[in-house]
Amino acid sequence: MRVVVTSDVDGYAADLLVGKWDSIRVLGLATGSTPVNVYGRLIQRYYDGTISFRTKRTFNLDEYLGLAPNHPQSYRATMVRDLMQYVDLPDERFHVPPGISDDYAAACTAYEDDIRAAGGVDLWVLGVGVDGHIAFNEVGSARDSRTRVVDLAESTVAANVSYFDDSDDMPTQAVTAGVATIMDAREVLLLAKGAAKADAIARAVCGDESADTPASWLQSHGNCTFLLDSAAAAGIVNSAGADATRAPGAGGREHSIEFLD
Ligand code: PGA
């Protein structure tokens, strides 16, 4: 795992994605507030002719259970608002887990099959929850978990309820790609900003790999970058020292830290 600390998470992430654009056929995406400005930068690069989505395929991490695709707070609709309405990705190449299904188990298996049939995810952009969740893999999520229906943690509901006009409309369950689904991606780029994420990030990088902090499973991913602002990195810096270039991890592992500014 590589840790990069920068005051310009959005710009660094967008540059990294654009730099690899030709080698990314299948892009994994996240909703949530963290990547929105990265998507804004990608839209700019699309408008200035640097990149096209026409031949890409995208898979989103998760969707609220029970929300129809056209519900304004569904993650599908959110992704359309934040990115897809502006770019040239064909609709049939834009995949989001099913929020509504007659048979969720079959639909979750089909989502995994679709990812596999596409050749797997080349790079998955992730956020992280204040409890250390990745996608909606809440505390307790096993490393071998796959796409499935999950209950949302109270902290997750609290972090997202403000997006709903009526708090009673906030779903308490979701369909999420599993930890193993994410670990299968050839590259993972986890973004975190702000002090609220510092504890989760410190546990994910420097703690044991454990279901107590699902993001910690990424320590054993061979090609994973945590891209952090200094507030989100504060807990790691406390363990490693401000001028350190290595952070301790589980099992005697060390992770490189680069401070860009
Ligand atoms: P956020 O959510 O980007 O809105 O902070 C991230 C997450 O919960 O995974």
Side-chain angles (χ1 to χ4, degrees):
M1 179 188 284
R2 172 174 169 240
V3 178
V4 176
V5 184
T6 171
S7 57
D8 185 15
V9 168
D10 303 333
Y12 186 97
D15 285 348
L16 187 144
L17 291 169
V18 170
K20 296 174 181 281
W21 200 249
D22 289 347
S23 63
I24 301 174
R25 282 187 323 105
V26 179
L27 180 62
L29 296 171
T31 32
S33 57
T34 308
V36 170
N37 292 336
V38 179
Y39 299 154
R41 306 267 181 135
L42 293 182
I43 293 163
Q44 284 172 352
R45 304 291 180 95
Y46 167 69
Y47 277 128
D48 72 19
T50 310
I51 60 170
S52 164
F53 287 73
R54 200 168 41 80
T55 61
K56 307 298 179 196
R57 191 175 284 283
T58 67
F59 287 89
N60 260 77
L61 287 171
D62 41 22
E63 180 58 283
Y64 287 122
L65 193 94
L67 294 195
N70 62 352
H71 186 290
Q73 296 315 325
S74 74
Y75 276 180
R76 174 175 281 273
T78 303
M79 281 308 295
V80 170
R81 264 195 316 275
D82 290 345
L83 178 60
M84 299 311 177
Q85 65 170 323
Y86 301 105
V87 298
D88 59 348
L89 181 76
D91 218 32
E92 68 278 6
R93 300 177 75 87
F94 166 44
H95 302 263
V96 180
I100 291 188
S101 173
D102 294 337
D103 183 345
Y104 283 102
C108 290
T109 302
Y111 199 65
E112 294 275 342
D113 290 346
D114 287 348
I115 294 174
R116 222 167 285 122
V121 170
D122 292 303
L123 186 150
W124 214 321
V125 176
L126 298 186
V128 63
V130 292
D131 60 352
H133 72 215
I134 45 175
F136 280 137
N137 292 289
E138 302 285 20
V139 170
S141 295
R143 194 186 189 288
D144 62 357
S145 55
R146 290 277 166 193
T147 303
R148 67 203 186 286
V149 173
V150 292
D151 295 331
L152 299 179
E154 272 177 36
S155 61
T156 302
V157 174
N160 291 289
V161 73
S162 63
Y163 293 106
F164 289 81
D165 291 339
D166 183 343
S167 58
D168 290 342
D169 291 345
M170 164 94 201
T172 56
Q173 288 186 298
V175 180
T176 185
V179 174
T181 322
I182 295 166
M183 295 293 281
D184 282 349
R186 285 181 269 281
E187 182 168 0
V188 173
L189 177 65
L190 182 145
L191 314 175
K193 296 193 250 183
K197 303 287 173 70
D199 280 354
I201 290 292
R203 280 185 279 114
V205 175
C206 306
D208 289 335
E209 275 188 76
S210 134
D212 292 342
T213 305
S216 68
W217 294 125
L218 294 165
Q219 286 188 39
S220 54
H221 189 286
N223 189 8
C224 173
T225 302
F226 274 33
L227 181 55
L228 314 172
D229 68 6
S230 57
I236 303 177
V237 172
N238 284 344
S239 322
D243 54 0
T245 56
R246 317 287 302 167
R253 208 176 273 132
E254 285 197 326
H255 310 293
S256 75
I257 313 181
E258 293 161 56
F259 295 91
L260 297 189
D261 45 31

